[in-house]
Amino acid sequence: MKRKLYFISLSLLIFFLFVACSEKIGTIPENYSYNYDNYLEYDYMKKAGDTEGSFSFKYPKGWVVEKLPAWEATSEKEASPDWGVELYKEGDKENKITIVGIVGGVPVDKSRENEWGKQGFQKSQLVVGNVKRGEVYSGIVENKVKTVVLYYDKDNPPRFESGWRLEAHAQVDKQFYNKNKNEIWHILASVKKIE
């Protein structure tokens, strides 16, 4: 009897863990209407070796933008493989969006995409003004809403880009996400390479 109760308890625990890990979040609807009237624009200008890695995005007042550490190549070490910024609301650095350029003519690692699927992430398209701008992976991990956007390079999916690719990662508490969802998606939708 004890053994049977043990297996029932274990089965219920596994079931609840599976449900908790695969909790879905609502992603933005296609053709969502963006309004950037009160948003600031930020241009990140970067040259990494032979790679021009510049991008821009828009963000609302009350958010802080900090550059991530990046370095040029020296005789002792290679240049940093990625560069970018973190954004967060003033006084709340725990809930942040990271936008990064990553050097590489290598495809986006398929195992990363598979890992997001195992974590129960939803896959969708970022559509802005009827144009597909990127792939979105979103889900809830350890009670945080995690969203990854792989931006397309012109019309090409990110796994076929050459030179460098552009990504954004948002990791925020559920309560923060529900309160600031509109601003988060406005930021993510505004990211683009500067050609």
Side-chain angles (χ1 to χ4, degrees), residues 21 42 77 107 112 140 172:
C21 289
Y42 188 92
K77 66 179 178 179
R112 282 177 50 199
I140 297 180
V172 298

Side-chain angles (χ1 to χ4, degrees), residues 25 128 143:
I25 60 166
V128 182
N143 213 29

Side-chain angles (χ1 to χ4, degrees), residues 103-123:
V103 173
V106 235
V108 171
D109 188 353
K110 209 58 169 154
S111 66
R112 282 177 50 199
E113 186 176 327
N114 293 339
E115 186 59 36
W116 294 327
K118 286 179 190 172
Q119 292 181 40
F121 281 24
Q122 298 173 353
K123 179 180 178 182

Side-chain angles (χ1 to χ4, degrees), residues 17-60:
L17 283 174
F18 176 77
V19 169
C21 289
S22 63
E23 186 178 350
K24 305 292 183 193
I25 60 166
T27 56
I28 57 169
E30 285 193 17
N31 300 322
Y32 181 76
S33 179
Y34 295 98
N35 180 349
Y36 291 101
D37 287 346
N38 296 314
Y39 279 62
L40 306 169
E41 184 148 358
Y42 188 92
D43 291 341
Y44 187 102
M45 308 306 281
K46 172 70 176 157
K47 181 171 171 58
D50 294 334
T51 306
E52 298 284 346
S54 301
F55 60 87
S56 69
F57 59 90
K58 295 178 181 175
Y59 67 100

